[in-house]
Each structure stands twice: as C-alpha cells, then as structure tokens.
Amino acid sequence: MGWAELLLLVLVGWTIVGAFGVAASYRRGEQTKAGRHLAWIGGVWVLYLVTLLGISVAAAPRSIKPAQEQCFHSLCFAVLDVKSMPGYLAGPGEHLLRLSIRMTNHSRKDPKGDSHLTAYLVDSRNRHWDEIPGLEGIRLSTTVPADKSLISTPVFKVASDAKDLRLVFTHGRRLPYLLLLGDRDSLLHPPTFVPLGVPNE
C-alpha cells in the first residue's frame, strides 16, 4: 500500500468514526456539538478534494518509452511490440493491432495481480479503442508468480486512419483510484501513455 492509499484509508476511517460521533451527539440532543463536528468533517474533505484537484491540474501528461516498465507497486508492465495483423474481425476502414506486453512481478515472495487493470488505445484525435475481449490469451489482470514474468497479447480494432496511437493503462474512473492523490486515474488527472509508433507487419 502506497502513501496515497494509506492517506485515503486514514481519512475514510476518521470520517466513519466522526460520523458515529455526530450521530451520538444528535441522539443526546447536542445539536451544536454535532454541527461543529460535522463542519470539521466537511472542511477536511473539502481541503482534501481541493488538494486532489490541484495536483491533477498541475500534472502534465506523461510519456513512457516502449519497453520501459510502468509499475503498480511491485507489478510492472512494459510494451515490447505492436503488430498489425489480418483478421476477419476488421471491417472496412479498420485494422487489428496485437500488442505484446510483459508483466513482471518484482516481489520475491508473493504472487501479484491487478484485477481492475485494463488498457485502451487513443489516437491524435482523442478517439478511444478498448481491447477485444477473449483474444488476449493471458489477461493483463492475470496473477503473476513471485519474481516471474508473463506476456499478455491484447488485440485492438482501430480505425485505419488513426495516427499517433498511444497505449494507456487504467483502473477506470472508479473508487478508490478516483480519490487517490496523484494517481493516474484520479479526478481530472492527465493520462500516462506509451507511444506505439509504426506497427510491424
């Protein structure tokens, strides 16, 4: 667990304890005390959200070189290759791309997996394409044994006129990632991406 996750966990725990205190004060008829505690809880959350948005707005999109690892704690991902491939799934004006992504667990003791991690492609016109399910073999969410690597090969169907394709790993705009300070998926945070260049045939 990183510092951002720990901070959010502490804040949520403190909020829950505070909410019980506010409820108890109301039951005892101490409306003024309850209101003061409720204001403290609201104020701390406002400060947290302002800090979250400030960090996100100040951040710049981050480019990761192909073959360079992106790590989520001890589980790291590196794009090794991208190939254009023929396939009946591609219609007029479309083509298929197969990526090779190395997943490495740098922990020497524990198997690691990220069940919420997915990836999508985006082009210069900000069009998005999700991977085609069922064609990737080993999924990005697969648990990797300790100190081992696996290769995932997700397939994407993109427009033939797509340029400057980039791969983005994401947990989606969901909790708790949406509220983690500095996380790539936090509110208004710019993406971290891998430029793919020209696909191999």
Side-chain angles (χ1 to χ4, degrees), residues 97 120-129 158-168 191 193-197:
L97 295 179
Y120 64 87
L121 297 184
V122 60
D123 71 350
S124 58
R125 295 160 60 183
N126 205 35
R127 293 179 294 179
H128 289 64
W129 294 275
V158 304
S160 297
D161 61 351
K163 297 181 179 179
D164 299 325
L165 284 169
R166 292 156 286 166
L167 176 74
V168 178
F193 59 86
V194 180
L196 298 181

Side-chain angles (χ1 to χ4, degrees), residues 6-201:
L6 180 60
L7 178 60
L8 181 59
L9 182 62
V10 169
L11 180 58
V12 170
W14 174 79
T15 301
I16 293 173
V17 172
F20 279 113
V22 169
S25 294
Y26 270 117
R27 284 197 300 269
R28 293 194 298 266
E30 300 172 342
Q31 281 79 9
T32 300
K33 182 179 180 180
R36 185 167 60 250
H37 290 169
L38 190 61
W40 265 105
I41 294 173
V44 170
W45 271 103
V46 168
L47 178 61
Y48 182 86
L49 291 175
V50 168
T51 303
L52 174 77
L53 293 176
I55 292 174
S56 294
V57 172
R62 185 184 175 198
S63 177
I64 303 292
K65 296 179 181 179
Q68 180 179 347
E69 289 188 330
Q70 296 185 62
C71 296
F72 302 86
H73 304 300
S74 62
L75 188 61
C76 299
F77 299 80
V79 179
L80 303 180
D81 190 27
V82 53
K83 292 184 178 180
S84 181
M85 55 182 292
Y88 64 91
L89 292 175
E94 299 174 328
H95 68 283
L96 298 178
L97 295 179
R98 182 185 295 276
L99 277 64
S100 295
I101 300 174
R102 184 182 64 227
M103 308 185 298
T104 302
N105 179 7
H106 289 290
S107 171
R108 299 195 176 187
K109 295 182 179 180
D110 303 316
K112 298 291 182 180
D114 195 330
S115 60
H116 294 145
L117 187 70
T118 59
Y120 64 87
L121 297 184
V122 60
D123 71 350
S124 58
R125 295 160 60 183
N126 205 35
R127 293 179 294 179
H128 289 64
W129 294 275
D130 295 321
E131 61 182 294
I132 302 175
L135 299 181
E136 72 279 3
I138 296 174
R139 297 183 178 182
L140 293 174
S141 57
T142 299
T143 298
V144 182
D147 204 24
K148 299 293 184 181
S149 294
L150 300 175
I151 301 295
S152 178
T153 54
V155 176
F156 299 84
K157 181 167 58 177
V158 304
S160 297
D161 61 351
K163 297 181 179 179
D164 299 325
L165 284 169
R166 292 156 286 166
L167 176 74
V168 178
F169 292 109
T170 182
H171 291 105
R173 299 294 184 176
R174 58 189 297 172
L175 296 174
Y177 309 103
L178 194 65
L179 296 179
L180 292 177
L181 295 179
D183 189 84
R184 67 180 66 206
D185 291 314
S186 62
L187 190 63
L188 299 184
H189 199 282
T192 299
F193 59 86
V194 180
L196 298 181
V198 179
N200 298 315
E201 296 296 334

